Amino acid sequence: MDIFNHIFDPTTGAPAQWAYQDFEECTFQNLTLSKAILSHANLVNCRFENCTLDAALLKDTRLNEVQFLQCKLLGVNFEHCNPFAFAVGFQACNLDQTYFFNRNLKKTKFESCGLKGASFINCELNGAVFKDCNLESAVFINNTLTQADFSTSYNLVLDPEQNKLKKTRFSLHSLPGLLTKYDLVIT
């Protein structure tokens, strides 16, 4: 069953069933969906606003042009999402301990997000923007970061030898995080 242009909030409640449902141009507001099973759902041009999705299960979930605004997504594993047309954006979200593996995140915007302990492994992050993000203990391994922008983020530790960098933007204050493995003293 297709659900089009519907607003889900505490007065209407969350969808009774997610699996194999198609949601298009829907808005989800102020919902607690911790450990929700969103597996096999198709979400196209949808928005999650001020929702809690901690440890939500996304097995074969299709996220196409889905925006998350002021959401908590602690421990969400985006690796299990359907890779077809995967496109997401995050603004003022808590993405601590999230996991992105083999994801195409080209031009994805992470704005004012907490990404403590997040893992980005084997991802395409060309043109991605990490604006004002806390990247404390975030892991970046074997990613393509061409023209990615980290210039306003902080607590970044990234090994340039384990990622492909070209015209990647960093601020001067993040320089120590690019040299951590060399055990240098920078004053």
Side-chain angles (χ1 to χ4, degrees), residues 73-74 78 90 93-98 110 113-116 118:
L73 297 125
L74 301 174
F78 289 94
F90 304 95
C93 291
N94 186 338
L95 293 157
D96 294 351
Q97 305 300 321
T98 53
F110 297 88
C113 292
L115 286 153
K116 292 181 184 178

Side-chain angles (χ1 to χ4, degrees), residues 48-138:
F48 286 85
E49 300 172 358
N50 198 35
C51 291
T52 300
L53 294 131
D54 297 344
L57 298 177
L58 302 173
K59 186 176 190 302
D60 207 30
T61 304
R62 183 172 167 223
L63 300 176
N64 181 355
E65 298 300 329
V66 175
Q67 297 297 312
F68 296 92
L69 308 161
Q70 298 179 329
C71 291
K72 284 181 57 184
L73 297 125
L74 301 174
V76 172
N77 189 340
F78 289 94
E79 170 190 9
H80 299 299
C81 288
N82 184 332
F84 179 73
F86 182 83
V88 292
F90 304 95
Q91 184 176 359
C93 291
N94 186 338
L95 293 157
D96 294 351
Q97 305 300 321
T98 53
Y99 192 70
F100 295 91
F101 179 73
N102 284 336
R103 292 292 100 192
N104 182 345
L105 296 164
K106 290 180 182 174
K107 298 185 179 180
T108 298
K109 291 187 177 156
F110 297 88
E111 186 174 338
S112 302
C113 292
L115 286 153
K116 292 181 184 178
S119 294
F120 294 87
I121 302 171
N122 296 327
C123 293
E124 291 289 332
L125 287 155
N126 297 337
V129 176
F130 292 84
K131 182 179 179 186
D132 300 320
C133 292
N134 185 355
L135 297 167
E136 181 181 335
S137 302

Side-chain angles (χ1 to χ4, degrees), residues 171-186:
S171 69
L172 190 56
H173 75 270
S174 62
L175 180 62
L178 298 173
L179 302 171
T180 300
K181 79 177 211 170
Y182 299 109
D183 197 24
L184 302 173
V185 177
I186 300 171

Side-chain angles (χ1 to χ4, degrees), residues 10-46:
T11 60
T12 62
Q17 180 180 341
W18 290 93
Y20 303 101
Q21 297 291 320
D22 295 324
F23 300 93
E24 189 170 347
E25 296 185 20
C26 290
T27 302
F28 304 88
Q29 297 175 327
N30 305 309
L31 296 173
T32 300
L33 303 168
S34 296
K35 298 184 181 177
I37 301 172
L38 284 72
S39 300
H40 303 285
N42 291 313
L43 294 114
V44 179
N45 293 322
C46 292

